[in-house]
Amino acid sequence: MQQDYDHLQRAAKDHLWMHFTRHSTYDTSDVPIIVRGEGAYIYDAQGKRYLDGLGGLFVSQLGHGRTELADAAAAQAKELAFHPLWSYAHPNAIMLAERIAAYAPGDLNRVFFTTGGGEAVESAWKLAKNYFKLTGKPMKHKVLSRTIAYHGTTQGALSITGLPPLKAQFEPLVPSTFRVPNTNIYRASETTGGLLDGSDPEAFGRWAADQIAVQIENEGPETVAAVFLEPVQNAGGCFPPPPGYFQRVREICDEYDVLLVSDEVICAYGRLGYMFGAERYGYQPDIITSAKGITSGYAPLGAMITSDRLMEPFLQGAEMFAHGFTFGGHPVSTAVAMANFDVFENEHILEHVRDNEGAFRSTLERLLDLPIVGDVRGDGYFYGIELVKDKDTRETFNEEESEKLLRGFLSKALYDEGLYCRADDRGDPVIQLSPPLICDQTHFDEMEQILRTVLDKAATLL
């Protein structure tokens, strides 16, 4: 009813503080209100349908309307709605920890539950510092991460984040974090100062990995505790690792006794066709941070997964990891995660992604014939499309042009055409796609057609 809709609009504008939102945008327009979802689609309060090209926020692995996940939540809430994991356990947390440990690579057998990804990253940094203090290396506290990388919004996770514009208004943040180059091979010449042009991906990967060793030496190996890296870096528009990159990083971490943290808040649980991105790219982390797809968004949950070695000091005497969250490992959330993984296995979700990722890539690569599309990159069901002013020189847009292109046109135009995705300029201007893992060629074609329509128009604006 229009009366209900009008009330929702007034209440949203008067009371709801939305996340990462320019509220002035809604001075002259309605707040988009999403009311339901079905499969790969979401519907607004007016009944219009949109293809969920971002999986909510890299979350909705199984799509919307999965009654088996909703039923699992309801059944658990009736039986045990809540109990903390502070010196107590409940069956779902136990069984889920066992299941995740079985999925995880190597000896990553210890699972510390959180309520989301930022908390998992925060937990990993605290654990790294705590671990080295207990093992006789108390100066190891610094962490390295890549430029433009996003690792969360809490004070610690934001400090690790490599996006200065997101950090400036919250300074001073937690000290002792340092940046190393990312793996954007499309911009290899700029990143390496002209040393490499990206035509040899393995050489670029080796160079990028070696910069981690350089930074460790610069800071002093006795002070560096961990390096945080995503399998495919999200911010900047989906940077996959060059061949050999993570293998070299693992060697460096072993040489300097630095923990390798694989931040898989986005990449875990099928996004790249495997339970963990580390498995796809063949490296062994010391810690995996994860969240999002662990429940396909049907309940909030995150997990820090660590090696047995890192828990060893906490199994002695009076030691404990003095850290936790009230709702970490919530009974309802862990029940949903168990049901989520049941569907993964019963419907062969990982295999589906691997079988279809080539078609997804080739469908998006059709857009390379557009003058505004410079690069299409990613893996699995996780892609970025970089937009450029000049394809030959790879010239990007300045700040004013990016503002006009992304927020002045693309975000609204894509949504109006029926595609929910992300148009972003943390780094160079990109469109990001991370659809539900159930999507197939029909959905890929729909995405490509909408993107083509809108990007054709965008090219005429500038």
Side-chain angles (χ1 to χ4, degrees), residues 181-201 203-205 207-208 242 375 377 386 392-395 428:
N182 61 47
T183 61
N184 182 0
I185 198 165
Y186 184 68
R187 298 286 175 188
S189 182
E190 298 168 35
T191 303
T192 65
L195 180 65
L196 300 169
D197 62 6
S199 59
D200 184 344
F204 175 63
W207 177 89
D375 194 27
R377 56 181 177 253
E386 183 169 335
D392 294 332
T393 65
R394 303 188 181 184
E395 181 185 359
D428 296 303

Side-chain angles (χ1 to χ4, degrees), residues 128 149 151 153 169 205 209 312 343 386:
H151 292 284
T153 57
Q169 60 266 53
E312 185 62 31
V343 176
E386 183 169 335

Side-chain angles (χ1 to χ4, degrees), residues 418-437:
L419 177 62
Y420 165 71
C421 61
R422 169 182 272 180
D424 191 33
D425 60 351
R426 293 180 297 174
D428 296 303
V430 295
I431 293 171
Q432 282 188 285
L433 299 161
S434 177
L437 306 184

